[in-house]
Amino acid sequence: MTGFKPPAQGLTPALRQWFSVKESYPDAVLFFQMGDFYELFFDDARLAAPLLDLTLTSRQKLGDEPVPMCGVPLSAGDGYIGRLAQMGHKIAVCDQVGPVPAGRGLAERVVSRVVTPSTILSADQEAATRYLAALCHDRAANVFALAAVDVATGDFILGQWTGDQGLTSELTALEPAELALPRSASEELLELVAHLGAYVTYLPDEAFDPANYLANWQATFGEGYRPDPADSPLTLAVGSAALGYCLSLAPGSGLGHLAPPRRLWANPYLGLDEAAVRNLELVRSLRDNGSDHTVFKLLAQNVTPMGGRVLRDWLLRPLCARAQVTARHEAVEELLVDGLARDRLAELLGQTQDLERALGRLTLGRGTVRDLVAVRATLSQAEPIKELLSQRAAPLLRELAESLDPLPELFRPLAGFLADDPLNPTDGQMIRPGVSPLLDEYRRLESGGKKEIAALEASERAKTGVNSLKVGFNKVFGYYLEVTKSNLKAVPPEWIRKQTVSGGERYVTPELKEWEEKILSAGERRAELEERVVESLKNKVARRAPALKSLAATLAVADALAALAATALKRSWVRPDLTDDDILDVKGGRHPVVEAALPAGEAFVANDVRLTPYERLLVITGPNMAGKSTILRQTALAVVLCQMGSFVPAEKALLSMRDQVFTRVGAADDLARGQSTFMVEMSETARILKKASPRSLVILDEVGRGTSTFDGLAIAWAVAEYLHDLARRGVPTLFATHYHELVELARSKPLVRNYNVSVKKWGQSVVFLRRLTPGGTSKSYGITVAALAGLPDKVIARASEVLADLTKSRGQPIRPQENQGDLLAEAGLDDDPPRALAREISRLKIERLTPLEAFDLLTELKAKAQESIR
């Protein structure tokens, strides 16, 4: 509809108003309230109807063309709006703000809110976070800054990095639903976010101006807000842009539920880049990109949505400080050992509700009685949870108890005013009886005013002497007095006859009509009074938003710790021992996801892995399907789980704190970035070599396989040497490979150790023992594995013949004295070398050369020949 101009004539007043509003929101789907429905027109209707399973119809014509339209009930609007926003669309909600004027007047309508993919508040949406991420880039200093806001839960994050590596990792953890970028965003920033698939909003560059930051910060956190000394001008500016954008989407509602920002630089986390999160399947499965068959799925023993969000945050942002990790381990251990306390805590937490999201809706003006019930239910469990946690020995659990404020002054009015089951506002029971005498009177009248009607009936019987007189009601003319034919002479003359029936006559009186008015209007008055009481409760909750946000955070952490204890118990995980020595020693390690997926009765084959200052790089060989990749991944997962505060799947583990975990596992191209499989592999490897430190952990799987054999082997060899030699200490590395020549590294590099994943030859097949044992191997059993995979026998037979020929030809020794001409020709020289080069060749005392040595010799000969020629 962008750029579409309404015709000068032929429009109804409502459509003319629609065009006026649409002009201000050309990029949004306009939900336009008309009475009890939200209606959509033109391209908005064509877009939304198939996505929301609505019927596309038309109400009128514009010229000769019908106007396409669809609609949804007002009461169901939030659900439809949330669904459309989840699909990546922006929605402007235009509400009626006053009564419809008499006659054919036009109701006043205004846009009350704008909903984007990151600002969905409807109660029926998923419990996961939906972040808005505002980003900016100082090109001169190559500094990136981020401000992330989850409007629904009130989470607020600030980050700043030199270079893009840290930002890339954080965006992987956030999975933002929406990005806010300056209109003049740098090419580097645009390239960085191009693959995220998030909805993008471009803001004026002025929104990111450090000189303009203060107003939005004060609008959110109060006029007394002053910046933290640790905040740079860039983080203050990007924070202001994010806050200002969120404030603009819901004018007048404020962001009082937002927590103070979490500053990522203040608490260093274990570095997990995009490749590590993906390859370790922390939150997304490589199989289908879903959440099943992931580490997070195994950990999700939480009983509240808040606890689930904390678990995900811990998994993607493991800690680097040993004291903090130890505190979590102690808390998990106590809850694991004390089953009664763990079960009681889960029982209490299970009776709470999603306080963060309820608070978000209430403070943003979208809350309902359902959200007040959620707050009440949560507060009702706060005191017993506090008491339970205060009785624990673990310092972290006791800290949670001390920080937990049950807010009794807020719980009392919520418990005292709200009915036990107030979720159906049409039954007149949102507020308890006895709270307001006037409200009780309205309810009694609404239920029929039986007492008043009975008194009036008795009074009229006494006046007329007609004992059979009775008061009745019908929908045509309301309450009436009915007198039988035999008593009609006793009817007073001031009564007004309304209806003749077979047995007598029906009348009304002024007094009866007065009571009728009171009774019939009682429902409306009751609803208005109840709504005033509910609004007062909402205001009470909104005023305590910071305290409620703190309470929610405390309950979420308690739930996350209990979930880690439940997982450890269910999966037989152990508490790792921590050391300041540079050691990774896992006994009987297991891959948690693979183990959980095994059929009943099948045991996972556990393995030991040890990396120390004297055993720095393990070269792991073995056939395909033997389990090399699984061993690599489970070792990295032991580090991630340990540093998030979890127990680990092993018999025993001794671990030191790592600063980063890097993975180069699997093969896949990246069409969105225009990269081939090999280019992706080399890019990830380059990132590892640039960023890894002696305190990192690196797992590499078949580096170099995406190119020719010699090129791949050369690259793999050089990468292994680089990691071994880095900073004269080397980087703890597991290096799985099919280049068996790499086992020779152990001869020249003292910190290299060779291991293989053993197999047992059985006839024409092999049995995978999946056991990591010392020593290298010289066979990959590739053809055997291909046969197991179902390749035709004819192909397998031919492959065996080709392999035999290749092995025979490559197995011939390369003798420098006898093959000088061939070597020099391959090196690009003729058969008559300079005398100096001939002497050099004669000096070599090598009788047999491996392919790698031959490759090195060719390179050396060519260099020396060229030097001699010069």
Side-chain angles (χ1 to χ4, degrees), residues 181-246:
L181 306 177
R183 289 200 178 115
S184 62
S186 66
E187 292 182 6
E188 295 90 338
L189 183 56
L190 293 175
E191 182 178 351
L192 191 68
V193 303
H195 70 289
L196 293 177
Y199 182 88
V200 180
T201 295
Y202 290 96
L203 302 178
D205 291 349
E206 296 76 27
F208 295 85
D209 187 346
N212 301 329
Y213 79 89
L214 192 56
N216 289 327
W217 282 87
Q218 289 184 339
T220 303
F221 296 107
E223 293 185 1
Y225 174 82
R226 292 295 179 268
D228 189 287
D231 293 335
S232 69
L234 199 62
T235 56
L236 289 171
V238 76
S240 174
L243 296 173
Y245 177 62
C246 292

Coordinates of all heavy atoms in Angstrom, one line a residue, residues 181-246:
L181 N 18.9 -0.5 13.5 CA 20.2 0.0 13.0 C 20.1 1.4 12.6 O 19.0 1.9 12.2 CB 20.6 -0.9 11.8 CG 20.7 -2.4 12.0 CD1 21.0 -3.1 10.6 CD2 21.7 -2.8 13.0
P182 N 21.2 2.2 12.6 CA 21.2 3.5 12.1 C 21.0 3.5 10.5 O 21.5 2.5 9.9 CB 22.5 4.1 12.5 CG 23.4 2.9 12.8 CD 22.5 1.8 13.2
R183 N 20.4 4.5 10.0 CA 20.2 4.5 8.5 C 21.5 4.5 7.8 O 21.6 4.0 6.7 CB 19.4 5.7 8.1 CG 17.9 5.6 8.6 CD 17.0 6.5 7.8 NE 15.6 6.3 8.2 CZ 14.9 7.3 8.8 NH1 15.4 8.5 9.1 NH2 13.7 7.0 9.2
S184 N 22.6 5.0 8.4 CA 23.9 5.0 7.7 C 24.8 3.9 8.3 O 26.0 4.1 8.4 CB 24.5 6.4 8.0 OG 24.8 6.6 9.4
A185 N 24.2 2.8 8.6 CA 25.0 1.7 9.2 C 26.1 1.3 8.3 O 26.0 1.3 7.0 CB 24.0 0.4 9.4
S186 N 27.3 1.0 8.9 CA 28.5 0.6 8.1 C 28.3 -0.7 7.3 O 27.5 -1.5 7.7 CB 29.7 0.5 9.0 OG 29.5 -0.6 9.9
E187 N 29.1 -0.8 6.3 CA 29.0 -2.1 5.5 C 29.4 -3.3 6.4 O 28.8 -4.4 6.3 CB 30.0 -2.0 4.3 CG 29.5 -1.0 3.3 CD 30.4 -1.0 2.1 OE1 31.4 -1.8 2.1 OE2 30.3 -0.1 1.2
E188 N 30.4 -3.0 7.3 CA 30.8 -4.1 8.2 C 29.6 -4.6 9.1 O 29.4 -5.8 9.3 CB 32.0 -3.6 9.1 CG 33.2 -3.3 8.3 CD 33.3 -1.9 7.8 OE1 32.3 -1.2 7.7 OE2 34.4 -1.4 7.6
L189 N 28.9 -3.6 9.6 CA 27.8 -4.0 10.5 C 26.7 -4.7 9.7 O 26.1 -5.7 10.1 CB 27.2 -2.7 11.1 CG 26.1 -2.9 12.1 CD1 26.5 -3.8 13.3 CD2 25.6 -1.6 12.7
L190 N 26.4 -4.2 8.5 CA 25.3 -4.8 7.7 C 25.7 -6.3 7.3 O 24.9 -7.2 7.3 CB 25.1 -4.0 6.4 CG 24.4 -2.6 6.7 CD1 24.3 -1.8 5.3 CD2 23.1 -2.7 7.3
E191 N 27.0 -6.4 7.0 CA 27.5 -7.8 6.6 C 27.4 -8.7 7.8 O 27.1 -9.9 7.7 CB 28.9 -7.7 6.1 CG 29.5 -9.0 5.7 CD 30.9 -8.9 5.1 OE1 31.3 -7.8 4.9 OE2 31.5 -10.0 4.9
L192 N 27.7 -8.2 9.0 CA 27.7 -8.9 10.2 C 26.3 -9.5 10.5 O 26.2 -10.6 11.1 CB 28.1 -8.1 11.4 CG 28.5 -8.8 12.7 CD1 29.7 -9.6 12.6 CD2 28.7 -7.7 13.8
V193 N 25.2 -8.8 10.2 CA 23.9 -9.2 10.6 C 23.1 -9.8 9.5 O 21.9 -10.2 9.7 CB 23.1 -8.0 11.3 CG1 23.9 -7.5 12.5 CG2 22.9 -6.9 10.2
A194 N 23.7 -9.8 8.3 CA 22.9 -10.2 7.1 C 22.3 -11.6 7.2 O 21.2 -11.8 6.7 CB 23.7 -10.1 5.9
H195 N 23.0 -12.5 7.9 CA 22.5 -13.9 7.9 C 21.6 -14.2 9.1 O 21.1 -15.3 9.2 CB 23.7 -14.8 8.1 CG 24.4 -14.7 9.4 ND1 25.1 -13.6 9.8 CD2 24.4 -15.6 10.5 CE1 25.5 -13.8 11.0 NE2 25.1 -15.0 11.5
L196 N 21.3 -13.2 9.9 CA 20.5 -13.5 11.1 C 19.0 -13.8 10.8 O 18.4 -14.5 11.6 CB 20.6 -12.3 12.1 CG 22.0 -12.1 12.7 CD1 22.0 -10.9 13.6 CD2 22.4 -13.3 13.5
G197 N 18.5 -13.2 9.8 CA 17.1 -13.4 9.4 C 16.1 -12.7 10.3 O 15.0 -13.0 10.4
A198 N 16.6 -11.7 11.1 CA 15.8 -10.9 12.0 C 15.1 -9.8 11.2 O 15.6 -9.3 10.2 CB 16.6 -10.4 13.1
Y199 N 14.0 -9.3 11.7 CA 13.3 -8.1 11.2 C 14.2 -6.9 11.5 O 14.7 -6.8 12.6 CB 11.9 -8.0 11.9 CG 11.1 -6.8 11.4 CD1 10.2 -7.0 10.3 CD2 11.1 -5.6 12.0 CE1 9.4 -5.9 9.9 CE2 10.4 -4.5 11.6 CZ 9.5 -4.7 10.5 OH 8.8 -3.6 10.1
V200 N 14.3 -6.1 10.5 CA 15.2 -4.9 10.6 C 14.5 -3.6 10.6 O 13.6 -3.4 9.7 CB 16.3 -4.9 9.5 CG1 17.3 -3.7 9.7 CG2 17.1 -6.2 9.6
T201 N 14.7 -2.8 11.5 CA 14.1 -1.4 11.6 C 15.3 -0.4 11.5 O 16.3 -0.6 12.3 CB 13.3 -1.2 12.9 OG1 12.2 -2.1 12.9 CG2 12.9 0.3 12.9
Y202 N 15.2 0.5 10.6 CA 16.3 1.5 10.5 C 15.8 2.8 11.2 O 14.7 3.3 10.9 CB 16.6 1.8 9.0 CG 17.3 0.7 8.3 CD1 16.6 -0.3 7.6 CD2 18.7 0.5 8.5 CE1 17.3 -1.4 7.0 CE2 19.3 -0.5 7.9 CZ 18.6 -1.5 7.2 OH 19.3 -2.5 6.6
L203 N 16.6 3.3 12.1 CA 16.3 4.5 12.8 C 17.1 5.7 12.3 O 18.2 5.5 11.8 CB 16.6 4.3 14.3 CG 15.8 3.1 15.0 CD1 16.2 3.0 16.4 CD2 14.3 3.3 14.9
P204 N 16.7 6.9 12.5 CA 17.5 8.1 12.1 C 18.8 8.0 12.9 O 18.9 7.6 14.0 CB 16.6 9.3 12.6 CG 15.2 8.7 12.7 CD 15.4 7.3 13.1
D205 N 19.8 8.5 12.2 CA 21.2 8.5 12.8 C 21.2 9.3 14.1 O 22.0 9.0 15.0 CB 22.2 9.1 11.8 CG 22.4 8.2 10.6 OD1 22.0 7.1 10.7 OD2 23.1 8.7 9.7
E206 N 20.3 10.3 14.2 CA 20.3 11.1 15.5 C 19.9 10.2 16.7 O 20.3 10.6 17.8 CB 19.2 12.2 15.3 CG 19.6 13.3 14.3 CD 19.3 12.7 12.9 OE1 18.4 11.9 12.7 OE2 19.9 13.2 11.9
A207 N 19.2 9.1 16.5 CA 18.8 8.3 17.6 C 20.0 7.6 18.2 O 20.0 7.2 19.4 CB 17.8 7.2 17.1
F208 N 21.1 7.6 17.5 CA 22.4 7.0 18.0 C 23.4 8.0 18.4 O 24.6 7.7 18.6 CB 23.0 6.0 17.0 CG 22.1 4.8 16.7 CD1 21.1 4.9 15.8 CD2 22.3 3.6 17.4 CE1 20.3 3.8 15.5 CE2 21.5 2.5 17.1 CZ 20.5 2.6 16.2
D209 N 23.0 9.3 18.5 CA 23.9 10.3 18.8 C 24.2 10.4 20.3 O 23.3 10.5 21.1 CB 23.3 11.7 18.3 CG 24.3 12.8 18.5 OD1 25.3 12.7 19.1 OD2 24.0 13.9 17.9
P210 N 25.5 10.2 20.7 CA 25.8 10.2 22.1 C 25.3 11.5 22.8 O 25.1 11.5 24.1 CB 27.3 10.1 22.2 CG 27.7 9.4 20.9 CD 26.7 9.9 19.9
A211 N 25.2 12.6 22.1 CA 24.8 13.8 22.7 C 23.3 13.8 23.2 O 22.9 14.7 24.0 CB 25.1 15.0 21.8
N212 N 22.5 12.9 22.7 CA 21.1 12.9 22.9 C 20.6 11.7 23.8 O 19.4 11.4 23.8 CB 20.3 12.8 21.6 CG 20.7 13.9 20.6 OD1 21.0 15.0 21.1 ND2 20.6 13.7 19.3
Y213 N 21.5 11.1 24.5 CA 21.2 9.9 25.2 C 20.3 10.0 26.4 O 19.5 9.2 26.7 CB 22.4 9.1 25.6 CG 23.1 9.6 26.8 CD1 22.7 9.1 28.1 CD2 24.0 10.6 26.8 CE1 23.3 9.5 29.2 CE2 24.6 11.1 27.9 CZ 24.3 10.5 29.2 OH 24.8 11.0 30.3
L214 N 20.4 11.1 27.2 CA 19.9 11.2 28.5 C 18.4 11.1 28.6 O 17.9 10.5 29.5 CB 20.4 12.5 29.2 CG 20.2 12.6 30.7 CD1 20.9 11.4 31.4 CD2 20.7 13.9 31.2
A215 N 17.7 11.7 27.7 CA 16.2 11.8 27.8 C 15.6 10.4 27.9 O 14.7 10.2 28.7 CB 15.7 12.6 26.6
N216 N 16.0 9.5 27.0 CA 15.4 8.2 27.0 C 15.8 7.4 28.2 O 15.0 6.6 28.7 CB 15.8 7.4 25.7 CG 15.1 8.0 24.5 OD1 14.0 8.5 24.5 ND2 15.8 8.0 23.3
W217 N 17.0 7.5 28.7 CA 17.4 6.8 29.9 C 16.6 7.3 31.1 O 16.1 6.5 31.9 CB 18.9 7.0 30.2 CG 19.8 6.2 29.3 CD1 20.3 6.5 28.1 CD2 20.3 4.9 29.6 NE1 21.0 5.4 27.6 CE2 21.1 4.4 28.5 CE3 20.2 4.0 30.7 CZ2 21.7 3.2 28.5 CZ3 20.9 2.8 30.7 CH2 21.6 2.4 29.6
Q218 N 16.4 8.6 31.2 CA 15.6 9.1 32.3 C 14.1 8.8 32.2 O 13.4 8.6 33.2 CB 15.8 10.7 32.4 CG 17.2 11.1 32.9 CD 17.3 12.5 33.1 OE1 16.6 13.3 32.5 NE2 18.3 13.0 33.8
A219 N 13.6 8.7 30.9 CA 12.2 8.4 30.8 C 12.0 6.9 31.2 O 10.9 6.6 31.6 CB 11.8 8.5 29.3
T220 N 13.0 6.1 31.2 CA 12.9 4.7 31.6 C 13.2 4.5 33.0 O 12.4 3.8 33.8 CB 13.8 3.9 30.7 OG1 13.5 4.0 29.3 CG2 13.6 2.4 31.1
F221 N 14.3 5.1 33.5 CA 14.7 4.8 34.9 C 14.5 6.0 35.9 O 15.0 5.9 37.0 CB 16.2 4.4 34.8 CG 16.4 3.1 34.1 CD1 17.0 3.1 32.8 CD2 16.0 1.9 34.6 CE1 17.2 2.0 32.1 CE2 16.2 0.7 33.9 CZ 16.8 0.8 32.6
G222 N 13.9 7.0 35.5 CA 13.6 8.1 36.4 C 14.5 9.3 36.1 O 15.6 9.2 35.6
E223 N 13.9 10.5 36.5 CA 14.7 11.7 36.2 C 16.0 11.8 36.9 O 16.9 12.6 36.6 CB 13.8 12.9 36.6 CG 12.6 13.1 35.7 CD 11.8 14.3 36.0 OE1 12.2 15.1 36.9 OE2 10.8 14.5 35.3
G224 N 16.1 11.0 38.0 CA 17.4 11.1 38.8 C 18.5 10.2 38.2 O 19.5 10.1 38.7
Y225 N 18.2 9.5 37.0 CA 19.2 8.6 36.5 C 20.4 9.3 36.1 O 20.4 10.4 35.4 CB 18.6 7.9 35.3 CG 19.6 7.0 34.6 CD1 19.9 5.7 35.1 CD2 20.3 7.5 33.5 CE1 20.9 5.0 34.4 CE2 21.3 6.7 32.9 CZ 21.6 5.5 33.4 OH 22.6 4.7 32.8
R226 N 21.6 8.7 36.4 CA 22.9 9.2 35.9 C 23.6 8.0 35.4 O 23.6 6.9 35.9 CB 23.6 9.9 37.1 CG 23.0 11.2 37.6 CD 23.1 12.3 36.5 NE 22.5 13.5 36.9 CZ 21.2 13.8 36.7 NH1 20.4 13.0 36.1 NH2 20.8 15.0 37.1
P227 N 24.4 8.3 34.3 CA 25.1 7.1 33.7 C 26.1 6.5 34.6 O 26.7 7.1 35.5 CB 25.8 7.8 32.5 CG 25.9 9.2 32.8 CD 24.7 9.5 33.7
D228 N 26.3 5.2 34.4 CA 27.3 4.5 35.1 C 28.7 4.9 34.6 O 28.9 5.0 33.4 CB 27.1 3.0 34.9 CG 28.0 2.1 35.8 OD1 29.2 2.1 35.6 OD2 27.5 1.5 36.8
P229 N 29.7 5.0 35.5 CA 31.0 5.4 35.0 C 31.6 4.5 34.0 O 32.5 4.8 33.2 CB 31.9 5.5 36.3 CG 30.9 5.7 37.4 CD 29.6 5.0 37.0
A230 N 31.2 3.2 34.1 CA 31.7 2.2 33.1 C 31.1 2.3 31.7 O 31.6 1.7 30.8 CB 31.4 0.8 33.7
D231 N 30.0 3.1 31.6 CA 29.4 3.2 30.3 C 30.1 4.2 29.4 O 30.4 5.3 29.8 CB 27.9 3.7 30.4 CG 27.0 2.6 31.1 OD1 27.4 1.4 31.1 OD2 26.0 3.0 31.8
S232 N 30.4 3.7 28.2 CA 31.0 4.6 27.2 C 30.0 5.4 26.5 O 28.8 5.1 26.5 CB 31.8 3.8 26.2 OG 30.9 3.1 25.4
P233 N 30.4 6.5 25.8 CA 29.4 7.3 25.0 C 28.7 6.4 24.0 O 27.5 6.6 23.7 CB 30.3 8.4 24.4 CG 31.4 8.6 25.3 CD 31.7 7.2 25.9
L234 N 29.4 5.4 23.5 CA 28.8 4.6 22.4 C 27.7 3.7 23.0 O 26.6 3.5 22.4 CB 29.9 3.7 21.7 CG 29.5 3.2 20.4 CD1 29.2 4.3 19.4 CD2 30.6 2.3 19.9
T235 N 28.0 3.1 24.2 CA 26.9 2.2 24.8 C 25.8 3.0 25.3 O 24.6 2.6 25.3 CB 27.5 1.4 26.0 OG1 28.1 2.3 26.9 CG2 28.6 0.4 25.5
L236 N 26.0 4.2 25.8 CA 24.9 5.1 26.2 C 24.0 5.5 25.0 O 22.8 5.5 25.1 CB 25.4 6.4 26.9 CG 26.1 6.2 28.3 CD1 26.7 7.4 28.8 CD2 25.0 5.7 29.3
A237 N 24.7 5.7 23.9 CA 23.9 6.1 22.7 C 23.1 4.9 22.2 O 21.9 5.1 21.8 CB 24.9 6.6 21.6
V238 N 23.7 3.7 22.1 CA 23.0 2.6 21.6 C 21.9 2.2 22.5 O 20.8 1.8 22.1 CB 23.9 1.4 21.2 CG1 24.4 0.7 22.5 CG2 23.3 0.5 20.2
G239 N 22.1 2.3 23.8 CA 21.1 2.1 24.8 C 19.9 3.1 24.7 O 18.7 2.7 24.7
S240 N 20.2 4.3 24.4 CA 19.2 5.3 24.2 C 18.4 5.0 23.0 O 17.1 5.2 23.0 CB 19.8 6.7 24.1 OG 18.9 7.7 23.8
A241 N 19.0 4.6 21.9 CA 18.3 4.2 20.7 C 17.3 3.1 21.0 O 16.2 3.2 20.5 CB 19.3 3.9 19.6
A242 N 17.8 2.1 21.7 CA 16.9 0.9 22.0 C 15.7 1.4 22.8 O 14.5 1.0 22.6 CB 17.7 -0.2 22.6
L243 N 16.0 2.1 23.9 CA 14.9 2.5 24.8 C 14.0 3.5 24.1 O 12.7 3.4 24.3 CB 15.5 3.2 26.0 CG 16.4 2.3 26.9 CD1 17.1 3.2 28.0 CD2 15.6 1.2 27.6
G244 N 14.5 4.4 23.3 CA 13.6 5.3 22.6 C 12.7 4.7 21.6 O 11.5 5.0 21.5
Y245 N 13.2 3.7 21.0 CA 12.4 2.9 20.0 C 11.3 2.2 20.7 O 10.1 2.2 20.3 CB 13.3 2.0 19.2 CG 12.5 1.1 18.2 CD1 11.8 1.7 17.2 CD2 12.5 -0.3 18.3 CE1 11.1 0.9 16.3 CE2 11.8 -1.1 17.5 CZ 11.1 -0.5 16.4 OH 10.5 -1.3 15.5
C246 N 11.6 1.5 21.8 CA 10.6 0.8 22.6 C 9.5 1.7 23.1 O 8.3 1.4 23.1 CB 11.2 -0.1 23.7 SG 12.3 -1.4 23.1

